[in-house]
Amino acid sequence: MDSISLQQPKKPTSILNAAVIVAALGYFVDIYDLLLFGIVRTDSLIDLGITGDAIRNQGEYLISMQMFGMLFGGILWGILGDKKGRISVLFGSILIYSVANIANGMVTTVDGYAFWRLIAGIGLAGELGAGITLVAESLPKEKRGYGTMIVASVGVSGAVAAYLVYQVFQDWRLCYYAGGVLGILLLFLRISISESGIFKKTIENSEKKGDFLSLFTHKKRFFKYLNCILIGMPLWFLVGILITFSPEFAKALGIQGADAIEAGKAIAFCYSGLVFGDIASGLLSQWFKSRKKIMYVFLVFNLIMIFVYLNAFSISSSVFYFLCFLMGASVGYWVLFVTIAAEQFGTNIRATVTTTVPNFVRGSLPLMILIYSYFRDSVFEGDILLSGMVVGSIITVISLFALSKLKETFSVDLDYSETV
């Protein structure tokens, strides 16, 4: 037997309860800080004395350090979320990444920049998983999809806010300071929310909590966990490579005014599309009462947009940015992806799963960059467009297969624990 039932505590009926509001605002600050580097990448590196092709190489190095931090932090915060509670993770993670982002504004070397992006990544890793777990456990099953949709759609708009803040300040250091201050202010709101009722029930039970290794010692559980990770990888390939390095792709495509294409603006358009995509996928999932069917639609839509984007030769810069918007909309399944992960596992390892899964996806970016670089440099002799199409296709096919192996979780009750 894989699970034991828990008595379901009474849940709030309002979708806009304190847990949803605070989780949404927390994810907003999380995304602001997470995507800020992509927005200020070029200007910050130039200010640190980096020029030419080294901007791209050092940019890949810094974003990889951030993602390695998120990989480690995902495990750390996930285990703590199941052992100590969802609220403690929300508090601790935002404190760390707020301090780290203020420190990012003070760096004078690339290595110092890399160190604080690593620390910021560790802090950023806890926000989404703990927030989604808390919301999923705080709402009735027929409403939790709406709750997670609100968290995701409000949260991803943080990337747009990061771009607008940069346009106002025109100083990458001040942008990092702003992110740190926003995080510290958010800590005061955390006081108003209480712990998940379902988690409180597990405190009275003797089963092991936050046992990360149990995800690898049971074959069926391991493959379910792996499949949850694989279905999210296309999003970070698109955001972490195709959008973050959009100036390089614009030049390869011969975009009119390619030299003026800004990665920050492309990220802002992409995440504006993501807001619409998350709302659409969340609503469609509720209307069709299915997570998987809508995920299939968005994964296919994403692959189509990759090919459109990488074959959009000689278009105007405004059309290019519109494609970035559509690219973002095509990966607006992030809310479904994280909700599916939360619904696949029992309460005693739910935070561990929900926190580590999105961070393993983010942490897989260095690997995807290596694979993409291999195809770009060794297979297609510098053809970044063909390399992007091939790698994007491979990742999407893997994700579609992984999704086919997961069960539908729309109406699943969450009041049970895994036997580990």
Side-chain angles (χ1 to χ4, degrees), residues 320-337:
F320 181 79
Y321 284 127
F322 179 67
L323 285 182
C324 291
F325 174 87
L326 292 179
M327 291 271 278
S330 76
V331 289
Y333 63 79
W334 188 246
V335 58
L336 292 183
F337 154 67

Side-chain angles (χ1 to χ4, degrees), residues 78-106:
I79 293 172
L80 288 176
D82 282 321
K83 289 183 177 293
K84 301 298 183 181
R86 289 53 164 137
I87 302 299
S88 61
V89 170
L90 290 175
F91 183 90
S93 65
I94 200 166
L95 180 62
I96 289 177
Y97 75 66
S98 297
V99 171
N101 276 285
I102 291 173
N104 263 273
M106 301 178 181

Side-chain angles (χ1 to χ4, degrees), residues 23-39 66-67 70 94 97 101 117 124-125 127-128 151-163 176 179 182 186 235-236 239 267-268 270-272 274-275 278 334 358 362:
L25 292 175
Y27 191 36
F28 175 90
V29 180
D30 177 290
I31 289 294
Y32 173 99
D33 289 335
L34 179 63
L35 274 296
L36 182 59
F37 170 71
I39 293 170
Q66 175 179 294
M67 295 310 172
M70 300 195 78
I94 200 166
Y97 75 66
N101 276 285
R117 287 324 296 159
L124 290 165
E127 183 73 32
L128 177 60
V151 172
S153 56
V154 171
V156 296
S157 63
V160 180
Y163 175 72
Y176 277 123
L182 282 172
L186 186 61
L235 186 148
W236 269 97
V239 173
I267 290 172
C270 176
Y271 270 76
S272 296
L274 243 168
V275 172
D278 272 327
W334 188 246
R362 292 162 169 168

Side-chain angles (χ1 to χ4, degrees), residues 32-289:
Y32 173 99
D33 289 335
L34 179 63
L35 274 296
L36 182 59
F37 170 71
I39 293 170
V40 303
R41 171 180 66 100
T42 300
D43 288 349
S44 63
L45 287 171
I46 290 174
D47 191 41
L48 293 177
I50 308 302
T51 59
D53 291 339
I55 291 177
R56 184 189 70 187
N57 297 333
Q58 294 293 349
E60 291 177 350
Y61 163 56
L62 289 170
I63 199 170
S64 294
M65 289 296 288
Q66 175 179 294
M67 295 310 172
F68 281 132
M70 300 195 78
L71 192 62
F72 172 76
I75 298 173
L76 171 67
W77 295 119
I79 293 172
L80 288 176
D82 282 321
K83 289 183 177 293
K84 301 298 183 181
R86 289 53 164 137
I87 302 299
S88 61
V89 170
L90 290 175
F91 183 90
S93 65
I94 200 166
L95 180 62
I96 289 177
Y97 75 66
S98 297
V99 171
N101 276 285
I102 291 173
N104 263 273
M106 301 178 181
V107 299
T108 56
T109 66
V110 172
D111 287 336
Y113 204 173
F115 173 78
W116 285 111
R117 287 324 296 159
L118 176 71
I119 301 302
I122 292 173
L124 290 165
E127 183 73 32
L128 177 60
I132 291 293
T133 302
L134 181 64
V135 169
E137 292 177 345
S138 299
L139 290 172
K141 61 184 179 181
E142 65 274 9
K143 292 185 177 180
R144 64 179 177 242
Y146 290 119
T148 56
M149 178 195 70
I150 292 171
V151 172
S153 56
V154 171
V156 296
S157 63
V160 180
Y163 175 72
L164 294 176
V165 168
Y166 184 55
Q167 295 304 302
V168 172
F169 289 148
Q170 291 293 308
D171 186 320
W172 64 276
R173 296 183 187 275
L174 288 178
C175 291
Y176 277 123
Y177 296 150
V181 171
L182 282 172
I184 292 171
L185 291 175
L186 186 61
L187 288 175
F188 293 100
L189 289 178
R190 293 283 158 82
I191 300 172
S192 65
I193 59 175
S194 58
E195 187 56 81
S196 156
I198 289 180
F199 173 77
K200 288 180 180 178
K201 296 292 295 183
T202 67
I203 297 175
E204 304 169 5
N205 298 310
S206 60
E207 74 271 357
K208 294 182 69 175
K209 303 174 184 67
D211 188 350
F212 178 66
L213 294 180
S214 69
L215 294 168
F216 302 90
T217 56
H218 186 283
K219 182 178 179 181
K220 182 178 178 181
R221 189 180 297 134
F222 167 72
F223 280 106
K224 181 167 63 172
Y225 181 64
L226 177 62
N227 288 332
C228 285
I229 295 170
L230 293 175
I231 64 174
M233 290 179 66
L235 186 148
W236 269 97
F237 171 76
L238 184 147
V239 173
I241 296 177
L242 300 184
I243 297 297
T244 298
F245 298 98
S246 54
E248 290 86 346
F249 287 103
K251 290 178 182 178
L253 288 166
I255 302 300
Q256 299 169 28
D259 290 338
I261 294 294
E262 304 172 32
K265 192 172 183 179
I267 290 172
F269 271 91
C270 176
Y271 270 76
S272 296
L274 243 168
V275 172
F276 284 94
D278 272 327
I279 293 172
S281 65
L283 291 175
L284 289 171
S285 173
Q286 291 296 123
W287 295 340
F288 287 93
K289 300 186 185 304

